[in-house]
Amino acid sequence: MTNRDTALELTEIVFPEHANHYGTLFGGNALMLMSKAAFLAARAFAQADVVMAGCGDAQFLAPVPVGSVLRLRAWVSRQGRSSLTVSVAGTFEQLGQAPREALRSFFEMVVVDKSGRPRRIPKAYPAHPNPEKEAA
């Protein structure tokens, strides 16, 4: 399932405090921003609280210089009973230049109840019409 219709876009500017000693976006800050976008997309999709269960295949495709505008697009690419996979792609722009792809990753998110325990995503899968068959 790919659901780009429920995509979320997060826009940030890269300030010096986000940079490494080369003057480009520090990888740890890039992961934090991507996880923030994944969280917001998963929460909006599930209409419930979510937590991150994992992150995979983070790719840093190009250095993002200080002063760049970073746009992160996050969308739910897989839905399970209580978990979601959120794909995140990031581009950056500098004044007078075309956007360039910079970041890519995916995040496993889990829908949780008030005590932090996994719970079914509301309306993810309808209840089985015959409960006896579901138990079998």
Side-chain angles (χ1 to χ4, degrees):
M1 172 185 122
T2 300
N3 198 338
R4 290 183 185 257
D5 294 337
T6 61
L8 172 135
E9 191 170 280
L10 181 66
T11 304
E12 296 279 343
I13 187 161
V14 179
F15 287 113
E17 60 267 21
H18 305 130
N20 58 27
H21 57 290
Y22 294 110
T24 59
L25 180 63
F26 174 63
N29 287 328
L31 285 169
M32 185 223 18
L33 291 170
M34 287 192 292
S35 67
K36 179 179 178 181
F39 168 82
L40 292 169
R43 185 172 161 222
F45 180 89
Q47 292 294 298
D49 287 328
V50 297
V51 295
M52 186 190 312
C55 169
D57 197 26
Q59 298 176 26
F60 303 94
L61 305 169
V64 181
V66 167
S68 299
V69 173
L70 180 65
R71 294 188 200 291
L72 297 170
R73 187 169 171 83
W75 66 95
V76 173
S77 52
R78 184 200 59 84
Q79 175 185 345
R81 186 171 290 231
S82 63
S83 65
L84 304 164
T85 301
V86 180
S87 296
V88 180
T91 60
F92 73 95
E93 297 175 37
Q94 293 180 289
L95 287 176
Q97 295 182 12
R100 290 182 53 199
E101 188 176 16
L103 305 167
R104 211 181 303 152
S105 192
F106 64 88
F107 296 82
E108 297 300 327
M109 309 299 282
V110 177
V111 175
V112 294
D113 61 20
K114 293 203 181 288
S115 50
R117 303 290 306 157
R119 73 176 188 104
R120 182 184 294 248
I121 296 170
K123 301 181 185 175
Y125 294 102
H128 195 286
N130 189 342
E132 295 82 39
K133 283 189 178 181
E134 187 174 299

